[in-house]
Amino acid sequence: MYKSRCLLISLTFVCLSLIGCGSGSNDQDDFVPEKPFIPIFTELGLAGHKIEKMLKVNDQLIALTDQGIHRFGAQWQALTDTRYHVLDMAIVSDTHWIASVEKNSHAFFIESLDAGTTWQLLDDNFGGDDSHGDTDLLEVARTLVYDSENQKLYATGRNVLASSSDFARSWTVEEGAWGAMASGLGALLVHQQKPDVWYGGQNAIENPVLDQFNTDSFALTMHGQAITEHLPSPSVIYQILVDPKNSERIIASGEGGIVHSNDYGETWLPLLTNQNYRFHYSPVFDPNNPNTLYTAGWNKGDDFQPLILEVSQDNGQSWQAYPDEKDRFEGGVRTMLAVDESGKTVLYIGLYRNGVVKVSVE
């Protein structure tokens, strides 16, 4: 317990030292921070699960985990086989869901047409036509995003961006190749205002990947080298998002912190860096105040990690740390979801091995 509390104090000090560390960009407007708030942390269960992603569908909270898909009501309910490791899920409609799954070193897709009540296993060719034989796992879809405007599903694998026009049955390689040597691509964004798909991860020599694929011209722009000026080496990208106030502003996070571009990738700036290889999987914007950003991290290899919520109320120019005073969390933060509930912002944080935490923002 003494070591645990010492670690909590040390990490809190490190995060508090981030206050005032911003992008340094003169392109940012001068924002007046909102009034201070007090986050209230509440454990929601699923202890022992690795939470891959949190979703809100039909006003229901959904957790994708290494032990199946779960829905929260009065308690958590498993919607799938709990032997499934669920990597991601695309929401085609309120009732039509497609998920990427691993089980016993094999990868496949499952589909529900009734909002998770029943599921069917799909016959697909992700990874190539021989990807589902008796050989070792060749490819798994690490991300899934449905482009509703073009009615196309996108996914990433080890070093491939692929698309499907028939709901994950057949796949076409857009960039990269099946079965390539790489650490994997775990970030995917379909831009809603531009004909671009952004994706990221890490290549075979552990350099960060951040690529921009134009679906009209098929041009590929690589931003990995530019962001290495601000992130440590080795590094990896785990999340890509667009500023809701500015479609030209792209934010990317991963190992070592968060970077951003105000000019759609022409130049890159630090947003939250000097993180000593701390992973930031899932920064999110406040749905009620788009000048506010939230993030939290994970220290690789540390079994015990306190939960520290980091908040910027001025669009990333300065940050404040809010540690949960309970020193009994295991694994660190894997994913985060910010939603509006009755006019108030609520965060759902998925931990690496210790379930889900709800944060009410007062």
Side-chain angles (χ1 to χ4, degrees), residues 128-147:
D129 292 333
D130 60 348
S131 61
H132 297 296
D134 296 328
T135 59
D136 292 338
L137 173 67
L138 296 178
E139 291 281 2
V140 56
R142 297 166 186 253
T143 64
L144 280 176
V145 174
Y146 183 66
D147 179 359

Side-chain angles (χ1 to χ4, degrees), residues 1-10 304 327:
M1 181 62 72
Y2 175 78
K3 287 185 177 180
S4 297
R5 289 181 177 172
C6 286
L7 178 58
L8 175 60
I9 293 170
S10 298
F304 175 87
D327 59 350

Side-chain angles (χ1 to χ4, degrees), residues 8 10 19 58 75 170 195 204 209 240 246 272 288 290 310 312 321 335:
L8 175 60
S10 298
I19 302 173
N58 305 330
Q75 59 186 6
S170 58
V209 173
I240 310 167
N246 178 9
L272 180 63
N288 293 309
E310 295 169 68
S312 173
T335 185

Side-chain angles (χ1 to χ4, degrees), residues 78-282:
L79 300 181
T80 65
D81 189 331
T82 56
R83 294 172 296 177
Y84 289 170
H85 183 168
V86 183
L87 280 301
D88 204 353
M89 186 167 77
I91 308 300
V92 178
S93 70
D94 286 347
T95 56
H96 188 183
W97 306 350
I98 299 174
S100 172
V101 173
E102 282 184 306
K103 180 186 175 185
N104 298 330
S105 297
H106 286 80
F108 47 92
F109 296 95
I110 55 174
E111 179 183 50
S112 175
L113 300 176
D114 51 16
T117 301
T118 60
W119 296 85
Q120 63 174 331
L121 177 66
L122 299 185
D123 183 14
D124 71 276
N125 69 339
F126 191 85
D129 292 333
D130 60 348
S131 61
H132 297 296
D134 296 328
T135 59
D136 292 338
L137 173 67
L138 296 178
E139 291 281 2
V140 56
R142 297 166 186 253
T143 64
L144 280 176
V145 174
Y146 183 66
D147 179 359
S148 58
E149 181 176 348
N150 297 299
Q151 298 183 338
K152 184 175 289 189
L153 193 64
Y154 287 96
T156 58
R158 289 183 183 179
N159 193 31
V160 65
L161 171 69
S163 67
S164 172
S165 298
D166 58 2
F167 303 117
R169 273 74 172 175
S170 58
W171 291 88
T172 300
V173 172
E174 301 288 356
E175 277 293 335
W178 300 124
M181 292 295 295
S183 299
L185 303 174
L188 180 60
L189 167 73
V190 176
H191 202 291
Q192 296 302 303
Q193 285 79 42
K194 298 177 182 290
D196 289 323
V197 177
W198 290 75
Y199 59 97
Q202 188 178 70
N203 63 22
I205 56 175
E206 299 188 332
N207 287 330
V209 173
L210 181 58
D211 289 351
Q212 170 191 353
F213 176 73
N214 188 288
T215 58
D216 286 345
S217 66
F218 306 108
L220 181 69
T221 306
M222 300 181 182
H223 302 274
Q225 185 62 40
I227 64 174
T228 57
E229 297 178 12
H230 309 295
L231 296 179
S233 182
S235 188
V236 58
I237 297 298
Y238 278 110
Q239 172 84 335
I240 310 167
L241 63 158
V242 178
D243 188 328
K245 308 177 302 302
N246 178 9
S247 63
E248 298 287 319
R249 187 185 184 211
I250 302 295
I251 296 172
S253 72
E255 185 175 7
I258 308 172
V259 297
H260 71 145
S261 172
N262 293 312
D263 51 15
Y264 206 59
E266 293 295 324
T267 57
W268 292 90
L269 298 165
L271 192 65
L272 180 63
T273 52
N274 300 319
Q275 290 286 284
N276 193 27
Y277 293 93
R278 184 169 171 83
F279 288 77
H280 288 262
Y281 281 94
S282 190

Side-chain angles (χ1 to χ4, degrees), residues 304-345:
F304 175 87
Q305 296 181 43
L307 173 57
I308 301 174
L309 177 66
E310 295 169 68
V311 182
S312 173
Q313 293 182 275
D314 54 13
N315 214 19
Q317 296 183 52
S318 62
W319 295 83
Q320 175 70 50
Y322 295 88
D324 185 355
E325 294 181 355
K326 302 183 186 71
D327 59 350
R328 49 194 169 90
F329 289 102
E330 180 184 356
V333 174
R334 180 76 179 185
T335 185
M336 186 182 298
L337 173 70
V339 296
D340 173 89
E341 294 185 358
S342 301
K344 291 187 176 181
T345 298

